[in-house]
Amino acid sequence: MSRIGNNPITLPKDVTFEINENVVTVKGKLGELSQEITDDIKVEVKEDQITLQRPSDSKSHKAKHGLYRALLNNMILGVSKGWTKELELVGVGYRASNQGQVLDLALGFSHNIVLDVAPEVKVETISEKGKNPIVKLTSFDKQLVGAVAAKIRSLRKPEPYKGKGVKFVGELLRRKAGKSA
């Protein structure tokens, strides 16, 4: 029995949900997302509840059942509330600034790294004196926000000895003891 796939999805009042053959489209106040679903999984809409049914208990049907339920739920939450990821720059001289969708990062290299962020993702940089700079990414597409955040983090991953690098806010790092006498 699938724990995730069998849970119904509640549809907020400000979100419209449409199914055309095997493409699901979700529209809300923040944007519009669409997802293609395989023919095996059936999507049913009753009033404000969305349920997904699978034809059999085969391994691939079980996997797709939970997957598509999670994807649809993330789409609905995204167009109604939105998704946010925050990255913290830990290190001496690490800075972040943005002009519109262009993010400029100083991460200890001999040059600054300039990134053009997708137009669907809103970029904000927060720099307070005495605190590490924070890059805040906001969008209605959870997959896109995660991909952009992972790309920024991959530019300078946190190292295990001093913890310097780009990390997610709230991420716990596994620290190592250095050379000790």
Side-chain angles (χ1 to χ4, degrees):
M1 186 165 101
S2 175
R3 295 181 193 179
I4 294 173
N6 289 333
N7 289 341
I9 304 169
T10 54
L11 196 62
K13 293 190 182 352
D14 59 340
V15 175
T16 59
F17 187 84
E18 297 175 6
I19 306 169
N20 292 336
E21 294 175 25
N22 61 344
V23 177
V24 173
T25 306
V26 180
K27 293 179 188 173
K29 62 182 178 184
L30 297 177
E32 177 180 345
L33 292 169
S34 60
Q35 174 69 43
E36 188 174 337
I37 294 179
T38 58
D39 296 331
D40 300 338
I41 306 296
K42 301 293 180 231
V43 180
E44 294 179 2
V45 182
K46 293 180 183 172
E47 296 171 14
D48 62 342
Q49 297 281 317
I50 301 168
T51 56
L52 281 79
Q53 257 77 68
R54 65 174 183 247
S56 71
D57 283 344
S58 71
K59 193 171 186 177
S60 66
H61 287 158
K62 283 183 177 181
K64 290 175 184 171
H65 189 209
L67 169 75
Y68 286 126
R69 191 264 178 208
L71 289 176
L72 292 180
N73 190 43
N74 288 343
M75 288 166 53
I76 290 169
L77 290 175
V79 296
S80 61
K81 295 178 184 173
W83 297 101
T84 303
K85 290 267 187 189
E86 291 184 345
L87 295 153
E88 185 178 5
L89 281 60
V90 180
V92 177
Y94 286 19
R95 290 184 304 278
S97 62
N98 69 308
Q99 286 80 33
Q101 293 300 104
V102 178
L103 182 64
D104 188 10
L105 300 168
L107 299 176
F109 297 115
S110 60
H111 59 283
N112 284 4
I113 298 169
V114 179
L115 285 173
D116 287 327
V117 181
E120 295 89 11
V121 179
K122 184 177 163 249
V123 181
E124 183 183 346
T125 55
I126 303 163
S127 297
E128 294 180 19
K129 188 170 181 174
K131 293 186 179 178
N132 294 327
I134 291 177
V135 177
K136 190 174 183 181
L137 305 169
T138 310
S139 179
F140 56 88
D141 190 351
K142 185 176 185 180
Q143 294 175 2
L144 186 61
V145 169
V148 172
K151 174 67 177 165
I152 293 170
R153 185 179 184 274
S154 73
L155 297 173
R156 178 75 91 170
K157 289 185 180 172
E159 52 95 21
Y161 297 101
K162 292 184 179 176
K164 290 171 54 174
V166 180
K167 69 179 191 101
F168 292 109
V169 171
E171 178 183 6
L172 295 174
L173 299 176
R174 179 177 242 162
R175 301 291 293 270
K176 292 182 179 178
K179 293 190 289 183
S180 55

